[in-house]
Amino acid sequence: MKLQRKNRLRATALGALAVSGALVLTACGSDNNSGSDTGGNGAATKAASNVKCDGAKGQLRASGSSAQKNAMDLWVKEYMAACSGVEINYNSSSSGEGIVAFNQGTVGFAGSDSALKPEEVADSKKTCKTGQGINLPMVGGPIAVGFHLEGVDSLTLDAPTLAKIFDTKIKKWNDPAIAKLNPGAKLPDKAIQPFHRSEDSGTTQNLGKYLGAAAPNDWKYEAEKKWPAPGGQGATNSSGVATQVKQVDGSIGYFELSYAASQQITTVDINTGGAAPVKASSENASKAIAAAKVKGTGKDLALDLDYTTKAEGAYPLVLVTYEVVCDTGNKADTLGTVKSFLTYTASADGQKLLTEAGYAPIPEAINAKVRETVAGLS
């Protein structure tokens, strides 16, 4: 069973590598994407050949969510292969840092795993001048809960048990609550070492939203970007948490599925109360995201996700990464590139790359609204 599971993860990772040419994840190196790798594989792919470069020029700086780093790597590579002389520089930091940079006017757009708060919208008006920041859903996917426990090849957990683990209320792997969900598993008498993001993170906030909705009696914290619970160990960015889980026996952490796939980390199946536990996969995340409703007003397309779904095969622990832009008042020297690049990422070709990299495409009904909004940016 261990070999089959590793083979599935390896296949997912290789699928992403085949598209991008190379996905390199390190714990120590920078997550900054300079956009310098435009070579390889016979110039541009078919996807890149469909990119519309109209109005694009010079360098576009962006920053934020590390959850979408692997997707952004693919998009930047394809886009720059098609648009000669244009450089996209996405600094994969965190959602919180991305919003700060956007509201300071130092980037053309920001990536955030949570929609702008009212106070952040208010701050954005200083940068957007004639408008304000809006949320454009661009990347979907499961937040995988990865674990490393020698001798245990599969694990099922539910929201209350996850809440107690990350709140350090459950401290041992052979705790009765875990054993009940995993009959027959040889769970060791070993300390659980939970890892969380050390910086403000939209992934952390989405995990908090899920735990607060699905386990309200066991997770009493507000869903914020800063890790709220005592105990556990912090690591920088999704890649840092994944690396720690990969290396430390007895560990558990949360990160996007692409990080689990690329590092061959085994992921937890979620017991939602439905017919069977649900695996973290792009397909299963898509089933949950497809039920999302637009809660934003005007040009804002922030989504309302159902974290308590029991629909068959729907993986409930999902996030949506937004690209945050000005609806009006964008800087003239980067507006053309912002519109061109985001038109590509929201296109059928751009969204297709997400599945191949372990993410979930945004439902087409919502994506059509994204393209329409991007076309109207000014």
Side-chain angles (χ1 to χ4, degrees):
M1 183 167 182
K2 184 173 183 179
L3 180 59
Q4 291 176 340
R5 194 172 185 87
K6 285 190 174 182
N7 284 341
R8 287 199 301 271
L9 288 172
R10 185 178 292 112
T12 304
L14 290 176
L17 289 169
V19 177
S20 66
L23 277 179
V24 180
L25 294 175
T26 65
C28 302
S30 170
D31 276 343
N32 186 51
N33 176 5
S34 66
S36 61
D37 178 14
T38 60
N41 304 343
T45 65
K46 180 179 179 181
S49 69
N50 293 327
V51 174
K52 305 300 182 185
C53 305
D54 300 341
K57 60 182 180 180
Q59 183 185 77
L60 172 63
R61 296 175 58 85
S63 70
S65 165
S66 66
Q68 69 172 358
K69 170 182 162 41
N70 294 341
M72 194 61 69
D73 284 350
L74 296 176
W75 282 335
V76 168
K77 181 181 178 68
E78 297 299 312
Y79 181 84
M80 289 176 55
C83 299
S84 178
V86 180
E87 181 180 352
I88 309 293
N89 188 320
Y90 182 79
N91 178 26
S92 172
S93 50
S94 69
S95 297
E97 292 174 74
I99 296 303
V100 169
F102 177 76
N103 282 341
Q104 290 177 341
T106 60
V107 295
F109 70 88
S112 176
D113 305 328
S114 295
L116 293 169
K117 295 180 179 180
E119 58 268 28
E120 292 171 334
V121 173
D123 286 344
S124 73
K125 294 179 180 180
K126 301 172 186 176
T127 293
C128 297
K129 305 298 183 185
T130 60
Q132 65 181 41
I134 57 173
N135 304 283
L136 302 178
M138 199 68 71
V139 181
I143 300 175
V145 178
F147 71 98
H148 178 177
L149 190 59
E150 293 297 331
V152 178
D153 304 326
S154 64
L155 191 69
T156 295
L157 297 173
D158 58 14
T161 307
L162 278 171
K164 293 171 186 174
I165 288 173
F166 282 114
D167 200 17
T168 62
K169 297 293 176 56
I170 291 179
K171 300 180 183 296
K172 291 290 190 74
W173 279 109
N174 62 349
D175 188 276
I178 301 177
K180 183 178 180 180
L181 291 164
N182 297 274
K186 296 181 179 180
L187 299 168
D189 182 18
K190 182 184 290 290
I192 298 174
Q193 298 192 55
F195 284 90
H196 58 262
R197 292 282 289 275
S198 58
E199 78 283 14
D200 285 1
S201 159
T203 309
T204 293
Q205 187 170 36
N206 278 277
L207 174 67
K209 289 178 181 178
Y210 164 72
L211 294 175
N217 294 328
D218 300 293
W219 190 257
K220 301 295 187 179
Y221 306 100
E222 292 294 325
E224 299 291 347
K225 292 185 175 74
K226 183 176 180 62
W227 181 255
Q233 301 177 61
T236 304
N237 297 330
S238 293
S239 59
V241 175
T243 297
Q244 291 298 319
V245 173
K246 176 72 173 179
Q247 295 175 348
V248 178
D249 185 24
S251 61
I252 189 169
Y254 58 94
F255 31 77
E256 294 66 45
L257 183 61
S258 61
Y259 292 93
S262 63
Q263 298 203 41
Q264 298 184 15
I265 297 171
T266 308
T267 60
V268 168
D269 298 340
I270 302 295
N271 184 334
T272 65
V278 185
K279 296 184 180 300
S281 72
S282 297
E283 180 182 1
N284 292 343
S286 292
K287 292 177 182 178
I289 295 172
K293 306 295 183 184
V294 175
K295 65 178 180 180
T297 58
K299 294 181 179 180
D300 185 79
L301 299 177
L303 301 179
D304 188 14
L305 300 169
D306 181 8
Y307 296 102
T308 62
T309 179
K310 294 179 175 59
E312 183 177 357
Y315 184 82
L317 182 44
V318 296
L319 61 74
V320 168
T321 295
Y322 301 94
E323 312 310 340
V324 177
V325 297
C326 296
D327 54 359
T328 63
N330 289 277
K331 293 181 179 179
D333 59 340
T334 57
L335 174 60
T337 309
V338 167
K339 294 177 69 171
S340 173
F341 181 65
L342 296 185
T343 296
Y344 165 62
T345 61
S347 70
D349 288 330
Q351 291 288 301
K352 181 181 178 182
L353 292 183
L354 295 180
T355 299
E356 296 168 343
Y359 295 95
I362 301 299
E364 175 55 29
I366 297 172
N367 223 21
K369 296 179 181 179
V370 172
R371 292 192 293 269
E372 180 181 352
T373 302
V374 171
L377 297 179
S378 62

